[in-house]
Amino acid sequence: MSIKSRSDIPAARRIVVKVGSSSISGENAHQIEKLVTALAEAHGRGSEVVLVSSGAMATGFPYINLTSRPTDLPTLQAAAAVGQSRLIFRYQELLDNWNIVAGQVLLTSGDFDNESTRSNAALAMEKLLELRVLPIVNENDTVATQEIRFGDNDHLAALVAQLVTADVLILLSDVDGIYTKPPHEPGAERIEHVSSGELLEHVEFGSIGAAGVGSGGAGTKVAAAQFAAQSGTAVLITNAALVSSALRGENVGTWFDAASS
Ligand code: GLU
């Protein structure tokens, strides 16, 4: 179905939800339960749901005795290798409460550029969704280099939304949406609606995300939202704490209209 506004979200056929590291690790670790409950509700309504989740690195840090984010790539990759399995285990443990089976999908940007890996990924995703599995996608951090890293997965989520021709992409972070200036500054106002092709030239981007664990920001979110909207997927950017309101179609976050095909 064509998704024209937030209130159409509960009836969406296919939904991609992306959550960043800082929304589900450290002091926000409890939010993972809320997230899974909201995803399970949408799945239970009959929507096909894909989760794009970062958090492998942040989950892995304590297991290799790191208290803050390292700067070198091999250590980040080692942390991701350790954390990814824990992260998926945690998701599956919670999804078991709804008898939902998760499938782990790890992708790099090169997989989208190469026709055969792209088509393999698309076919695998279709099959997982047909089987009513909930795919959980992350970047394959072990093989990604600094230059081709997606960072906090916003762009990866937009590519996944395009790959599965999602009706709507929901980008979750630590702030309620995109603001006219960094949200802590006086006079900052939430932008409720962005029309297709609108450039947001007046917006000053600060950063989104608790310092130290993730790597995304408002600028990367808007770029990812505009990419997905151009490829025909409507986008909602909102706070991870509001995920269940978002999936119920309530008036939260910043909405980006999909370009009409
Ligand atoms: N794919 C990475 C993870 O899951 C991205 C995190 C980042 O670069 O901040 O940990």
Side-chain angles (χ1 to χ4, degrees):
M1 77 168 273
S2 127
I3 296 285
K4 300 245 176 298
S5 66
R6 292 170 179 82
S7 58
D8 293 329
I9 293 177
R13 177 189 57 104
R14 197 166 274 189
I15 306 171
V16 175
V17 177
K18 184 258 162 179
V19 69
S21 310
S22 56
S23 302
I24 50 160
S25 64
E27 60 181 27
N28 288 328
H30 64 278
Q31 291 201 146
I32 201 166
E33 214 167 316
K34 225 181 198 174
L35 168 67
V36 169
T37 303
L39 298 177
E41 270 175 25
H43 184 275
R45 279 196 295 265
S47 294
E48 295 170 339
V49 181
V50 177
L51 175 65
V52 177
S53 176
S54 0
M57 290 176 180
T59 303
F61 294 157
Y63 294 100
I64 52 172
N65 299 323
L66 292 169
T67 47
S68 62
R69 185 185 174 95
T71 48
D72 71 297
L73 188 58
T75 310
L76 288 168
Q77 289 171 319
V82 170
Q84 178 66 24
S85 59
R86 306 250 172 196
L87 186 64
I88 290 288
F89 179 78
R90 182 87 186 103
Y91 277 123
Q92 185 59 72
E93 217 177 27
L94 293 166
L95 286 166
D96 281 346
N97 296 324
W98 284 271
N99 295 319
I100 298 173
V101 175
Q104 172 179 269
V105 178
L106 299 178
L107 298 166
T108 58
S109 62
D111 297 330
F112 290 90
D113 298 337
N114 177 301
E115 215 186 292
S116 95
T117 46
R118 184 189 163 85
S119 130
N120 283 342
L123 291 171
M125 292 294 280
E126 284 301 326
K127 183 53 80 177
L128 287 166
L129 294 170
E130 184 192 314
L131 292 167
R132 296 297 286 151
V133 169
L134 195 152
I136 303 181
V137 183
N138 196 359
E139 177 160 25
N140 190 356
D141 291 304
T142 334
V143 295
T145 65
Q146 202 70 271
E147 298 72 41
I148 62 154
R149 284 200 63 235
F150 286 116
D152 211 26
N153 286 355
D154 294 314
H155 186 52
L156 171 64
L159 287 169
V160 168
Q162 187 187 43
L163 187 77
V164 302
T165 59
D167 300 314
V168 62
L169 166 65
I170 300 180
L171 295 174
L172 300 172
S173 74
D174 299 345
V175 292
D176 295 347
I178 299 303
Y179 280 71
T180 48
K181 44 173 112 167
H184 55 271
E185 287 184 16
E189 278 173 33
R190 174 168 64 98
I191 300 169
E192 283 202 22
H193 183 260
V194 181
S195 306
S196 174
E198 198 181 323
L199 290 176
L200 295 181
E201 274 159 338
H202 58 292
V203 175
E204 293 168 38
F205 296 123
S207 66
I208 293 185
V213 292
S215 58
T220 65
K221 279 188 175 51
V222 168
Q226 284 175 328
F227 175 88
Q230 275 315 307
S231 27
T233 298
V235 182
L236 182 69
I237 298 182
T238 191
N239 195 314
L242 300 175
V243 58
S244 110
S245 309
L247 283 164
R248 286 183 191 150
E250 291 168 21
N251 184 16
V252 293
T254 301
W255 176 265
F256 292 73
D257 286 334
S260 41
S261 46

